[in-house]
Amino acid sequence: MSSVRARRGEAVPGWLRGEPAPRWARALPLGLLVVLAVADVFSDAVELDHLLAVLPPLAAVVYGPLNTALLSLAVLLLVHPFTPGSRADAGSLLSFTVASLLSVAFARIRSRRDAQLVGINAVAEAAQLAVLPPLAERVGTVRCAGLYRAALRGALVSGDLYDVRAGPWGVRAVVADVKGHDLSALSTVSALLGAFREAALDDADLAAVALRMDRRLTVDSAAVEHAELFATAVLLEFPPGERVVRVVCCGHPPPLLLRGGQAAEIRLDHAPPLGLGLAELGAPAVASVPLRPGDRLLAHTDGVTEARDAAGDFYPLARRLPGLAAEAAEPGELTEAVLADLVSFTGGGGRWRGERTGDDVALLLLQPEAP
């Protein structure tokens, strides 16, 4: 499964992002031209010339200037007064000619704009992937699968984040939810990820990693008036040679431990969210959870558990996860199954329904292997 695909938000149709129109749209003007031409030949009772007038503007929406010009020329030949069967007069021909010229000009402008949109979208996507690059299927001794759906239509990264890094103290992972879920949260996401990646290499204690991330947000918030930057986060550590996971939770939903066909939240002592001055309150508590062969952990953001169905009920992730896991052997299969079930629960009908969640969704599945 592509990590890029696993992080896409609700898809924006490609032709609205500057990409070529779908095949049916490209075939529509030519198909209508053929139908109207045949109907005009075999029907004398129906006036069809006025219907031909819509074809050049329609072609300008889906074709480039050359193809629009060719189709407009075909229309002009059909309505020309010297064409057998044509009922158009000189005035009508002039109107068709003006409409055709304007359609070609519009097609040229639209084609140039589409080329610019393609370039802009490519740069934006590359920038977002630089902030949150594709997650490897295995980091050290831990198999991973991440899935991200942004509330902002078409975005790859918004206000949620996850990452998994190997370092001197084992494999460390983070899932966090930054205040806000639009592009304004992207700089905060970048700052948090940078702090986490440095701390994963430098700090021996998992609580110190949380303190460094908190300090990063505190410093950034102080530099901007009324910034109010904060984020909930959960940090996990798989120390080398040990069958245990250490967890620090800063105001975030606890991870779920999937074991023996059951799923349950890990019991944790919650620290305040990052950015509110953890250092002044002391280091957050680190919980140590023994692991068994086959255990899997699912960390997530509240966009999952706070999603609602049509009746207003919250999505029961812990109750539905075991059944989904029974049919998903691979980590990536399970995260995709959770998203599909979430969409079905909220009545998405196969598409992401942001109006029933109003938040980003991030899932990170971690499956440690035996040391």
Side-chain angles (χ1 to χ4, degrees):
M1 179 187 65
S2 168
S3 296
V4 176
R5 181 172 62 85
R7 285 212 315 280
R8 288 199 179 276
E10 183 180 358
V12 176
W15 65 287
L16 293 180
R17 293 184 284 114
E19 298 177 5
R23 290 183 179 179
W24 67 266
R26 297 199 301 271
L28 184 60
L30 185 59
L32 287 175
L33 176 64
V34 172
V35 170
L36 293 176
V38 172
D40 192 51
V41 171
F42 291 99
S43 176
D44 294 330
V46 181
E47 176 62 54
L48 298 176
D49 287 351
H50 63 284
L51 295 178
L52 291 170
V54 305
L55 294 183
L58 180 61
V61 175
V62 295
Y63 294 160
L66 178 59
N67 288 336
T68 301
L70 292 175
L71 187 136
S72 298
L73 179 60
V75 170
L76 289 174
L77 291 175
L78 286 174
V79 301
H80 196 282
F82 296 108
T83 302
S86 173
R87 303 178 183 87
D89 54 20
S92 298
L93 180 61
L94 179 61
S95 299
F96 275 100
T97 302
V98 172
S100 297
L101 292 175
L102 290 176
S103 297
V104 173
F106 175 79
R108 176 175 174 78
I109 295 172
R110 184 194 54 77
S111 297
R112 295 178 63 182
R113 185 216 60 180
D114 287 352
Q116 292 175 341
L117 282 177
V118 170
I120 291 171
N121 277 287
V123 171
E125 184 167 311
Q128 293 179 77
L129 292 177
V131 172
L132 195 62
L135 187 64
E137 294 183 358
R138 183 188 302 270
V139 178
T141 59
V142 179
R143 299 180 65 196
C144 318
L147 189 147
Y148 197 119
R149 288 295 184 274
L152 183 63
R153 185 179 177 91
L156 296 180
V157 182
S158 187
D160 289 358
L161 64 95
Y162 57 71
D163 200 9
V164 184
R165 296 280 162 162
W169 294 277
V171 176
R172 285 171 167 173
V174 62
V175 174
D177 184 355
V178 173
K179 176 192 176 185
H181 50 263
D182 54 17
L183 292 181
S184 64
L186 194 57
S187 60
T188 307
V189 168
S190 179
L192 275 179
L193 284 170
F196 168 75
R197 290 162 183 167
E198 291 181 1
L201 297 174
D202 297 339
D203 295 326
D205 184 48
L206 188 62
V209 178
L211 290 174
R212 183 182 296 211
M213 296 174 69
D214 172 77
R215 185 170 66 251
R216 177 72 272 164
L217 283 191
T218 302
V219 171
D220 290 351
S221 183
V224 181
E225 186 177 3
H226 306 303
E228 296 182 355
L229 299 179
F230 68 89
T232 64
V234 61
L235 296 143
L236 301 98
E237 177 184 87
F238 301 89
E242 299 183 44
R243 196 68 185 173
V244 66
V245 59
R246 299 189 181 109
V247 186
V248 168
C249 186
C250 298
H252 198 82
L256 293 172
L257 176 62
L258 189 59
R259 171 186 292 170
Q262 296 182 340
E265 290 186 349
I266 297 176
R267 294 183 179 180
L268 301 170
D269 293 328
H270 287 262
L274 303 175
L276 301 183
L278 284 181
E280 299 176 1
L281 303 174
V286 180
S288 184
V289 181
L291 296 175
R292 301 175 187 173
D295 283 353
R296 290 188 276 184
L297 296 108
L298 180 66
H300 59 88
T301 56
D302 58 10
V304 179
T305 50
E306 293 183 0
R308 298 172 182 261
D309 63 8
D313 297 324
F314 291 111
Y315 178 68
L317 176 61
R319 190 169 72 242
R320 298 171 83 115
L321 185 60
L324 298 172
E327 302 179 2
E330 297 297 321
E333 294 176 354
L334 182 52
T335 54
E336 289 283 0
V338 171
L339 178 66
D341 188 57
L342 177 63
V343 171
S344 175
F345 178 83
T346 58
R351 295 182 60 194
W352 185 241
R353 292 287 296 275
E355 64 268 22
R356 291 221 178 127
T357 60
D359 203 354
D360 305 318
V361 165
L363 297 165
L364 179 62
L365 187 74
L366 302 168
Q367 185 173 336
E369 297 180 337

